[in-house]
Structures are given as structure tokens and as C-alpha cells.
Amino acid sequence: VTGDWDNSSAPTSPSQPQGVAAFLKNLTSLTAGTTYYFSAKATNSAGTDWPAASLSFDIASCTVSTPYAWIVNQNGNNVTQLNLSGGLVGTYSVGNYPNGIAVDRSGNAWVTNQNYSTVTKINPSTGVVGSYSTGDGVGPLGVAVDSSGNVWVANQYNDKVRKINGSTGVTIDTYSVGDYPIGITIDA
């Protein structure tokens, strides 16, 4: 892993606790699917550690994922997964008359199936995980995923939005929203 440190907002001595210092490192050469853990300690320019009592660090971790393009093929009743160079990664059967698609923070694609009244979860590495009901005959079109991993589905024929637990597929709640909802997005 390589990169350059940006310590432009760093304090110059341990007696400067007037805020949070940001040390940023732009990382390159990371491997997709690998989890990286980060920690830190502070030393002065002479290499002497700063007193532990003056240090407070948040230890972070991140998992690097490979970005994909997901394409809904309505007449083929499937979804195509491409890498960003245009190479075919996979094609997944998802139901009847797929429409909306959204991707969650874990990289799973969620696809609404209008004629089956389901939403299908696709893992980018393993394929179709499962399909979950959005209600009988409700014609799901729009789909979005919130920061907690809940899946929100706009159902055009019953004028409702259904909130589904993204881990279990169980409906959390339904909300009446108006006449013929076809799209949905989450702004946070």
C-alpha cells in the first residue's frame, strides 16, 4: 500500500489539543475484497513518542470493493453485471419483468420484479441470494437502499412504499404515499 500523508492540519506539539487533527493518506494499490485495518501513533520530528495521555485515535477499517455496472434487461428477465472496462461478469435471472435497481453499501444489487411482486437480492460474487415479497399484485418498480441496509420499494398498484429488512427480507412496514408511485430514492 502506498500513498502520501497530508498532515497540513496537524498540531505541532501535544499541548495543542484545540481540536481534531486530520491526517489523510490517499491509498493506492489496494486489493478488492480485502479488509484493511488502520491504526496510528504519534512521534515528534526527533522520533520520540508523544505522551500516551495526549493521544486519542479512532481506529478505522474499510473493505475495498470492485465497482460494477448493473443493467436491467426487462425482456430477458435478467440483470447483467459488467466490470467498468465493459467485461461481462455475469447474467442473473431475477424474475418476471424486472424494473428498478439499486446497490447497497455491501455491493449487493436489488432488483424489482414487476410481474412477480418481488425484489431480488444479487451478491456481486455469489449471484442471486433470494427474492422477497413486496405484496400480492402490487407491481414494484422503484427501489432504494438506506444507510442501514433497509430496502425501500415503490409499489405502483397499491400506492404504497414497502420497507424491507435487507438482511432477512422481512417487511418492516408499509407506507401509503399517493397515486401510482414508480420511483424512490434515499437522500442520506
Side-chain angles (χ1 to χ4, degrees):
V1 177
T2 60
D4 297 318
W5 288 102
D6 174 5
N7 61 353
S8 57
S9 63
T12 56
S13 76
S15 63
Q16 289 182 304
Q18 64 263 64
V20 176
F23 293 87
L24 305 175
K25 183 162 178 82
N26 186 13
L27 303 175
T28 59
S29 303
L30 300 177
T31 303
T34 301
T35 300
Y36 293 89
Y37 298 92
F38 304 93
S39 62
K41 73 173 192 165
T43 58
N44 64 18
S45 59
T48 305
D49 288 346
W50 280 18
S54 68
L55 302 177
S56 175
F57 292 105
D58 288 328
I59 298 175
S61 69
C62 70
T63 300
V64 179
S65 61
T66 302
Y68 297 106
W70 296 89
I71 300 93
V72 174
N73 303 302
Q74 203 167 60
N75 288 340
N77 295 322
N78 61 42
V79 172
T80 300
Q81 178 187 13
L82 301 177
N83 63 35
L84 295 187
S85 298
L88 178 66
V89 176
T91 300
Y92 310 98
S93 294
V94 293
N96 191 293
Y97 212 67
N99 275 289
I101 191 164
V103 178
D104 65 25
R105 288 183 172 193
S106 297
N108 299 304
W110 291 85
V111 183
T112 57
N113 301 295
Q114 183 177 359
N115 290 348
Y116 280 1
S117 294
T118 59
V119 60
T120 299
K121 180 180 181 179
I122 305 169
N123 179 285
S125 300
T126 62
V128 173
V129 173
S131 292
Y132 308 103
S133 176
T134 62
D136 291 335
V138 295
L141 292 179
V143 61
V145 184
D146 66 25
S147 61
S148 297
N150 298 311
V151 181
W152 295 71
V153 180
N155 295 307
Q156 65 179 336
Y157 298 139
N158 71 355
D159 302 331
K160 294 183 180 179
V161 168
R162 183 176 292 244
K163 182 179 177 184
I164 300 170
N165 180 302
S167 297
T168 65
V170 173
T171 296
I172 296 169
D173 209 344
T174 57
Y175 308 94
S176 295
V177 294
D179 191 24
Y180 211 75
I182 60 170
I184 187 168
T185 191
I186 307 280
D187 68 358

